[in-house]
Amino acid sequence: MLNRRHIRIKVMQSMYAFKGTESDDLTKEQKFLLHSLDSMYDLYLSLLALLTELHKKSKDHNEKLQKKLVKSEADKNPNSKFQDNQLFQLISSNEMLQDAISKRKLNYWDLDFEYVDIIFKAILKSDLYKNYTTETETSFKKDKQFIIEIFTEIIAPNDKLYDFFEDKKLTWVDDLPVVNTAILKVLRKLKLTSPETALLPDLYKDDDDKEFAIDLFKKTFLNSSKYAEEISEKTTNWDSERLASLDGVLLKMALCEFQKFSSIPYKVTINEYLEIAKEYSTPKSSLFINGILDKIVKEYQSENKHLKAGRGLM
């Protein structure tokens, strides 16, 4: 689920939260980072819980139509294609998934049911719904495509849902794009014969990624003063406020990768932090960071310091 860029973003946020200060005991700080990373899985499960609630809502909606005192022909025989959707049923009946949601107490939608109503009404009004319910052919492939389309076009971009998650946990705002992409990836791969574990992917691609997160945080944290000094030496017209800002944190992390992660090419590190700077820092930050890092890399290469190992490494 997690990619390396988002791991870097989480490390950056943790470093910034603790102002990049050094400490002999990193237990508290490391716990903060790992909790922040783990909370992404909570967001993932919360969104799948929302899909489960939408499935329930479709059933309740049809039952209410049939119980109306004055019913139209459509009310007497409501379209059940939405509630019979095979992918919805696969998600709702997945015991491992529902148990994980329950254990983590992530089904917020019982109390915050108005958000389920908002999404459900938006679906009913959509052309996607109209086209889906009037389609005569039924198949798991078409059912899956419908859920993917409503997730992409209605659920993921919904502003009210975005505000809801922001209120629940501020860091989830940054996590939503990554988690939404992960959900779509999981849904696209699902088959009727898929095991229950297919809906419960690992948070980290492998152990190396988790180790990368911890090592990047610890090594940047423990060498913060040294990196700050090295950065200052390379900047004759230094804006002192930048070192205490997000730019300073990103530069320190980049230096850590230069010096402590020999298998990561300089070019990869520079590109990653430039993209993060564009998204999270000031408009001029990427140019500033690029200039500093380029100067440092050229010095390393001329002095044969911190050489990179492997093929195609800059």
Side-chain angles (χ1 to χ4, degrees):
M1 183 186 297
L2 274 170
N3 57 51
R4 284 285 178 105
R5 179 171 297 171
H6 207 71
I7 288 173
R8 289 179 172 98
I9 289 168
K10 287 294 186 181
V11 171
M12 173 198 74
Q13 290 171 339
S14 298
M15 285 289 299
Y16 191 70
F18 291 100
K19 304 302 181 186
T21 55
E22 294 177 17
S23 170
D24 292 330
D25 182 11
L26 285 174
T27 305
K28 177 183 176 183
E29 290 82 356
Q30 186 172 310
K31 185 177 179 181
F32 178 89
L33 169 65
L34 293 176
H35 177 73
S36 179
L37 288 163
D38 190 56
S39 72
M40 287 184 64
Y41 210 78
D42 288 347
L43 177 58
Y44 171 85
L45 292 174
S46 298
L47 282 163
L48 289 185
L50 174 60
L51 293 180
T52 301
E53 290 304 314
L54 287 170
H55 187 213
K56 291 179 184 176
K57 183 72 178 177
S58 67
K59 296 177 182 178
D60 294 341
H61 176 71
N62 284 348
E63 289 175 3
K64 286 178 181 178
L65 290 177
Q66 292 178 315
K67 290 177 181 177
K68 287 170 65 175
L69 292 176
V70 180
K71 295 189 282 286
S72 66
E73 285 302 314
D75 294 337
K76 292 177 183 177
N77 297 289
N79 194 309
S80 63
K81 195 168 183 181
F82 193 12
Q83 76 175 60
D84 294 338
N85 182 284
Q86 294 176 80
L87 181 55
F88 261 155
Q89 292 178 343
L90 200 65
I91 294 170
S92 298
S93 64
N94 188 309
E95 293 182 4
M96 287 182 67
L97 171 65
Q98 299 307 326
D99 186 52
I101 292 169
S102 178
K103 282 182 177 178
R104 290 185 180 228
K105 299 179 180 178
L106 294 172
N107 196 344
Y108 306 119
W109 314 111
D110 287 339
L111 292 175
D112 298 302
F113 58 86
E114 67 269 25
Y115 293 96
V116 180
D117 291 342
I118 289 168
I119 298 295
F120 186 70
K121 287 175 182 177
I123 292 171
L124 293 187
K125 291 178 182 178
S126 70
D127 289 336
L128 289 173
Y129 178 81
K130 292 172 186 174
N131 294 335
Y132 173 68
T133 52
T134 54
E135 172 67 54
T136 54
E137 183 185 346
T138 300
S139 68
F140 180 74
K141 182 179 179 180
K142 286 185 176 294
D143 285 354
K144 180 167 69 171
Q145 187 59 36
F146 172 66
I147 301 302
I148 289 171
E149 286 175 349
I150 63 171
F151 188 89
T152 303
E153 298 186 28
I154 297 174
I155 297 174
N158 188 274
D159 289 336
K160 291 187 182 297
L161 196 60
Y162 179 94
D163 292 341
F164 168 78
F165 283 126
E166 184 178 31
D167 289 340
K168 281 291 179 186
K169 190 166 292 187
L170 187 59
T171 56
W172 276 358
V173 173
D174 295 320
D175 298 337
L176 267 170
V178 176
V179 173
N180 286 338
T181 299
I183 286 176
L184 289 172
K185 186 177 179 180
V186 168
L187 294 183
R188 288 189 180 107
K189 289 183 177 180
L190 275 181
K191 300 177 182 178
L192 276 174
T193 55
S194 295
E196 289 199 333
T197 52
L199 277 167
L200 295 165
D202 292 330
L203 178 61
Y204 300 95
K205 183 178 69 177
D206 51 39
D207 290 339
D208 288 345
D209 275 1
K210 185 173 183 179
E211 186 177 341
F212 171 73
I214 294 170
D215 283 351
L216 179 61
F217 177 71
K218 288 173 67 175
K219 290 175 181 178
T220 305
F221 206 90
L222 292 171
N223 293 282
S224 179
S225 295
K226 187 184 81 170
Y227 296 148
E229 185 178 344
E230 184 174 348
I231 293 163
S232 295
E233 290 173 356
K234 303 298 182 296
T235 53
T236 53
N237 300 315
W238 179 261
D239 179 354
S240 60
E241 291 186 2
R242 280 194 182 272
L243 188 56
S245 72
L246 211 54
D247 291 354
V249 172
L250 293 174
L251 283 168
K252 291 173 188 175
M253 290 171 63
L255 257 65
C256 183
E257 288 193 29
F258 286 171
Q259 298 180 19
K260 307 294 184 181
F261 296 83
S262 62
S263 64
I264 301 177
Y266 289 131
K267 189 173 183 179
V268 169
T269 294
I270 292 172
N271 288 341
E272 285 294 299
Y273 288 107
L274 290 184
E275 290 303 314
I276 294 171
K278 288 175 185 176
E279 186 173 354
Y280 289 91
S281 200
T282 68
K284 294 182 179 180
S285 291
S286 60
L287 290 173
F288 170 76
I289 290 171
N290 187 48
I292 303 302
L293 296 182
D294 184 62
K295 186 183 293 186
I296 291 171
V297 167
K298 286 177 179 176
E299 181 180 294
Y300 288 171
Q301 290 175 327
S302 67
E303 298 177 1
N304 288 323
K305 290 168 61 178
H306 309 300
L307 299 177
K308 298 293 182 174
R311 292 183 178 180
L313 298 178
M314 174 180 162

